Amino acid sequence: MKMRLLCSLVLGAAALPGLAPTTATAQTPDSLRAHYMIDLPPTLEILSTVGRTSPGTSSGSPTGFGANWGDGFVGASYQGRVRFSELNDGAVVAGIGLGNSRDLIGGEVAITSFSTLRSDPFQVVSVSLKLHRAFLDNYGLAVGWESAFFLTSNEGDGGSSLYVAASKVWPQVWWQPFTKITTTVGLGDGRFRSEEEVRVDKETVKPFGSIGVQLWEPMSFIADWTGQDLTLAMSIVPTQRFPLVITPGVTDVTGTAGDGARFIISAGTGFDFARLPRLFP
Amino acid sequence: MRTPNLLTCGAVAVGLALMSAPATAQTHNQSDVTGPNVTSSAIAGVGTVAAEASPAVAAAVATAGTAVTAQLSSGTLSATTPDGATVTIPPAVQGALAGILAGGAAPPEFVAGLAAGGAGSASELVEALATLVSSPATGQFAAAVGHFNALVVGADPAFLASPTPEFLAVHSVLSQLVAAGRGAG
């Protein structure tokens, strides 16, 4: 009886705050790590496309982020004139996201019609693919295949391009008007080569990259090196009531490609396609 | 009355003809790929939003931050070891962590306490903890958790079996904030 009482006292004392030993002799290294690892719930995860629309962070080059399951998007682009011509041009795109880049890997499938303004629509249609993964600290990594295959016999004049892109969102606090900066660097073939390399059909891989500085919540400034020339653009979200992103800009500004600066603009909107059936019961 | 109509019809016809005519100048000049990128969701800004929790989650985390600050200020923060024991954290460590979370400088001994396990992410963790409660930046919370987990992964097993009070204090604080966010989500 005395022995039982003594044991109880010892155990009770060990349970008092500050008196318990911090060693866990019965634990394995894996169980110790499992205890201390902190699982971040999805509501606090690194990246989310839910709820808010953010202005774009690039214009002509891809990024390391992408659409996940549930994300749908449509968009259109316009060039005031194309290179070595006074003729304008346009394209439209629609796509969906697959998988989840935060849990494992995200996928993106986009269908683009490059024929719009000056010829019948859907005369030049391609499918583009992208796999992407989001990492802690707002990093994103993607591999993509632009115009992986064409659904039409006419393949236009853009060809296919393989690329890998890495992006990071840098939350910054040192200058209040800027809310965050997104940088992207990548390597690609196809359209990411120089204009001369494309002309002589030289097989090579060239770097591209972009910087998107979000000035205020609805607006960002973009400097985008597409591999051929520099594009300067603004991306604007006119209202948070509708997820519309408009990105006007000037491309070929340094004169390393084409025949002078040109006006370009794009507009796109994202939506949750999983909710669409509820709109059309 | 007829002339304007004819002119209008003519203009429309010419316009349509131009619109439908093949753009001969738009071959071999990469016109399909020299404008905005039209092959990905970037055109719609999809996937470029850094984590911003819902208002309810953000409020819950902020409330937990206030509670944690109060615990640190009063020296009542406690931690739980893997074997279920509850330990109190020395007041000096709690004070140091409270200062860091409020934006103050990290005492070298605090950083040393985190780095004692051998993992190299202690300084990054302390950096991510700065102003975490008082004025967190977008993505900072996730960064702090990420660096702490990196610390755990890289730590020596002996350290995890007998961690320093600094380590336990940070774990306790982050765990409380995460639990609050999870509960509200």
Side-chain angles (χ1 to χ4, degrees):
Chain A
M1 188 67 181
K2 284 183 178 179
M3 181 62 73
R4 185 175 294 177
L5 182 60
L6 182 62
C7 288
S8 299
L9 287 172
V10 169
L11 290 173
L16 287 174
L19 296 179
T22 57
T23 52
T25 52
Q27 302 288 333
T28 65
D30 285 343
S31 66
L32 289 169
R33 288 198 170 87
H35 172 79
Y36 287 117
M37 289 286 282
I38 297 174
D39 183 24
L40 204 60
T43 48
L44 297 169
E45 260 285 4
I46 49 173
L47 290 168
S48 172
T49 60
V50 179
R52 300 186 78 85
T53 301
S54 188
T57 62
S58 71
S59 174
S61 56
T63 72
F65 302 116
N68 291 306
W69 174 251
D71 295 332
F73 59 94
V74 294
S77 72
Y78 175 80
Q79 302 178 62
R81 70 172 186 84
V82 297
R83 288 175 181 168
F84 308 110
S85 170
E86 294 303 319
L87 298 176
N88 58 14
D89 200 2
V92 292
V93 62
I96 60 170
L98 304 166
N100 191 315
S101 61
R102 297 180 294 273
D103 296 336
L104 182 60
I105 197 161
E108 190 177 296
V109 180
I111 299 177
T112 305
S113 172
F114 293 103
S115 54
T116 48
L117 295 176
R118 311 195 67 82
S119 56
D120 292 337
F122 308 115
Q123 298 299 302
V124 182
V125 180
S126 77
V127 176
S128 298
L129 308 170
K130 183 177 187 177
L131 295 174
H132 53 97
R133 177 83 166 96
F135 297 95
L136 284 173
D137 283 357
N138 293 342
Y139 284 99
L141 180 66
V143 292
W145 193 1
E146 292 185 348
S147 296
F149 56 90
F150 285 83
L151 301 178
T152 54
S153 57
N154 186 344
E155 297 188 356
D157 63 1
S160 298
S161 303
L162 282 165
Y163 66 87
V164 56
S167 297
K168 175 169 174 58
V169 180
W170 308 81
Q172 69 81 32
V173 294
W174 62 87
W175 193 8
Q176 278 304 312
F178 293 179
T179 57
K180 57 178 177 270
I181 299 170
T182 303
T183 56
T184 296
V185 293
L187 291 170
D189 65 4
R191 74 176 176 97
F192 302 107
R193 299 171 295 169
S194 71
E195 191 178 37
E196 176 64 13
E197 288 166 340
V198 171
R199 191 182 67 78
V200 301
D201 199 21
K202 181 181 180 181
E203 295 293 334
T204 185
V205 173
K206 282 299 172 67
F208 62 85
S210 62
I211 299 175
V213 180
Q214 192 167 345
L215 301 174
W216 294 277
E217 188 66 35
M219 183 186 296
S220 63
F221 173 78
I222 298 166
D224 189 333
W225 179 262
T226 61
Q228 296 196 347
D229 209 331
L230 182 68
T231 299
L232 299 177
M234 299 287 291
S235 189
I236 304 159
V237 177
T239 173
Q240 279 292 337
R241 294 180 181 177
F242 186 77
L244 177 66
V245 177
I246 302 173
T247 308
V250 180
T251 191
D252 292 351
V253 296
T254 65
T256 59
D259 58 342
R262 299 176 295 116
F263 171 75
I264 60 173
I265 188 171
S266 68
T269 183
F271 55 87
D272 184 348
F273 70 76
R275 293 180 181 173
L276 288 182
R278 299 177 208 169
L279 300 177
F280 306 101
Chain B
M1 288 293 288
R2 291 174 61 90
T3 306
N5 286 340
L6 283 174
L7 283 174
T8 303
C9 289
V12 169
V14 170
L16 287 173
L18 283 174
M19 296 277 280
S20 59
T24 53
Q26 297 182 55
T27 55
H28 309 301
N29 64 354
Q30 294 185 280
S31 62
D32 289 342
V33 291
T34 55
N37 182 7
V38 281
T39 60
S40 81
S41 60
I43 197 170
V46 173
T48 60
V49 185
E52 291 176 83
S54 71
V57 171
V61 173
T63 301
T66 304
V68 161
T69 302
Q71 292 173 32
L72 291 169
S73 300
S74 61
T76 56
L77 181 76
S78 60
T80 305
T81 58
D83 54 5
T86 301
V87 296
T88 54
I89 308 296
V93 173
Q94 296 195 44
L97 183 53
I100 293 168
L101 293 173
E109 55 269 26
F110 190 93
V111 182
L114 292 175
S121 57
S123 57
E124 289 91 342
L125 172 59
V126 170
E127 196 174 303
L129 290 172
T131 72
L132 182 65
V133 171
S134 57
S135 57
T138 303
Q140 185 179 349
F141 186 55
V145 173
H147 289 308
F148 181 83
N149 285 341
L151 198 75
V152 173
V153 170
D156 186 80
F159 173 82
L160 294 177
S162 183
T164 59
E166 290 84 359
F167 177 90
L168 290 173
V170 173
H171 180 257
S172 177
V173 166
L174 292 177
S175 295
Q176 288 189 51
L177 298 179
V178 167
R182 182 181 283 115

